[in-house]
C-alpha cells in the first residue's frame, strides 16, 4: 500500500555568523539541536513513514506514529548526545510506537464484545422441548439393551466397537440392537400422541 506523505515546507537558508557557530557548538555539546532535528525531518520523514507502513496497515496510523516519534525525540533531544544517532533513535521510536499500536489493536479486538448467537424464538424453544419430551418418552419404551446401545452410540458419541466393549457384547449385537432400537423409535415418534 503506498503511503503518501506531505512534503515539509522549505525554510529559507540563513547564513550563520561567528556568534551562531559558538552557539551551535554549545548546543551540540548539550544534545541534538532543533535545526538538526528539522533537517532530519525533511530528509527522512518519507523513509520513516515507509518503515511504519511495513509494520502498520493504514496511512493515518503510520503518520501518527512518525509524528509521535519526532515529538518524543524532540522532547528528549538533550539526551541524544551524538547528532548522527538521531535517525537511529527515530527509527527505533517508530518501531516501538508501531508495536504499541498493534498491541492496543489486539487488546481492543480481544475486549470487543462477541455478538450474541442467533436466539431461537419462544415458539421454536417450546417446539424443541416437545420433541425432546417425546423422544425421552419413546426411549423409555425401548428394551433396556436397545436404549443402552442408542444412548452410548448417539448421545455419548461412541463407536460401535467402543459400545460393544463398554456393554460387554459382540459388535454384531451392537448393530442389531441399534438397528432395532432406531426402527422402534421411528414408530413411536410417528405415532399420534
Amino acid at each position: 500500500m503506498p503511503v503518501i506523505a506531505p512534503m515539509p515546507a522549505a525554510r529559507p537558508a540563513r547564513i550563520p555568523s561567528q556568534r551562531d557557530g559558538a552557539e551551535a557548538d554549545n548546543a551540540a555539546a548539550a544534545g541534538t539541536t532543533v535545526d538538526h532535528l528539522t533537517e532530519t525531518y525533511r530528509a527522512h520523514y518519507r523513509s520513516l513513514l515507509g518503515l511504519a507502513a511495513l509494520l502498520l496497515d493504514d496511512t493515518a496510523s503510520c503518520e501518527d506514529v512518525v509524528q509521535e516519534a519526532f515529538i518524543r525525540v524532540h522532547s528528549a533531544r538533550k539526551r541524544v548526545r551524538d547528532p548522527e544517532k538521531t535517525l537511529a533513535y527515530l527509527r527505533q521510536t517508530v518501531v516501538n510506537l508501531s508495536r504499541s499500536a498493534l498491541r492496543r489493536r489486539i487488546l481492543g479486538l480481544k475486549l470487543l464484545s462477541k455478538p450474541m448467537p442467533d436466539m431461537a424464538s419462544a415458539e421454536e424453544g417450546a417446539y424443541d422441548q416437545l420433541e425432546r419430551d417425546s423422544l425421552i418418552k419413546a426411549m423409555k419404551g425401548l428394551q433396556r439393551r436397545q436404549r443402552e446401545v442408542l444412548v452410548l452410540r448417539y448421545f455419548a458419541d461412541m463407536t460401535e466397537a467402543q459400545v460393544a466393549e463398554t456393554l460387554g457384547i459382540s459388535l454384531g449385537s451392537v448393530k442389531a440392537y441399534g438397528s432395532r432400537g432406531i426402527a422402534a423409535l421411528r414408530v413411536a415418534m410417528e405415532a399420534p400422541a
Side-chain angles (χ1 to χ4, degrees), residues 149 152-153 156-171 174:
V149 167
L152 291 176
R153 179 75 175 102
D157 202 27
M158 291 183 170
T159 64
E160 291 174 339
Q162 290 171 329
V163 173
E165 183 180 333
T166 302
L167 295 177
I169 57 177
S170 71
L171 187 60
V174 170

Side-chain angles (χ1 to χ4, degrees), residues 142-151 177-178 180-181 184:
L142 295 177
Q143 295 177 6
R144 181 179 57 89
R145 279 288 188 201
Q146 289 175 348
R147 186 172 50 248
E148 290 172 349
V149 167
L150 291 179
V151 167
Y177 283 126
R180 290 184 193 130

Side-chain angles (χ1 to χ4, degrees), residues 36-110:
H36 177 70
L37 197 57
T38 303
E39 290 305 316
T40 305
Y41 177 83
R42 286 188 184 132
H44 298 286
Y45 179 80
R46 287 184 185 266
S47 67
L48 291 169
L49 204 56
L51 175 63
L54 292 172
L55 300 170
L56 299 171
D57 57 355
D58 64 305
T59 306
S61 295
C62 296
E63 290 172 349
D64 291 343
V65 162
V66 173
Q67 291 298 326
E68 182 66 24
F70 273 101
I71 290 169
R72 289 188 182 192
V73 171
H74 178 270
S75 51
R77 69 185 179 278
K78 290 190 181 354
R79 290 185 295 186
V80 182
R81 301 275 180 220
D82 186 4
E84 299 300 316
K85 292 185 179 178
T86 304
L87 183 58
Y89 281 111
L90 281 166
R91 284 186 183 132
Q92 189 60 49
T93 305
V94 166
V95 169
N96 290 341
L97 290 172
S98 297
R99 286 178 185 159
S100 295
L102 289 173
R103 275 190 221 108
R104 281 191 302 274
R105 283 185 195 171
I106 290 170
L107 183 63
L109 291 174
K110 285 181 181 177

Side-chain angles (χ1 to χ4, degrees), residues 8-14 34-35 38-39 42:
R11 292 173 51 195
R14 56 175 229 168
V34 174
D35 289 336
T38 303
E39 290 305 316
R42 286 188 184 132

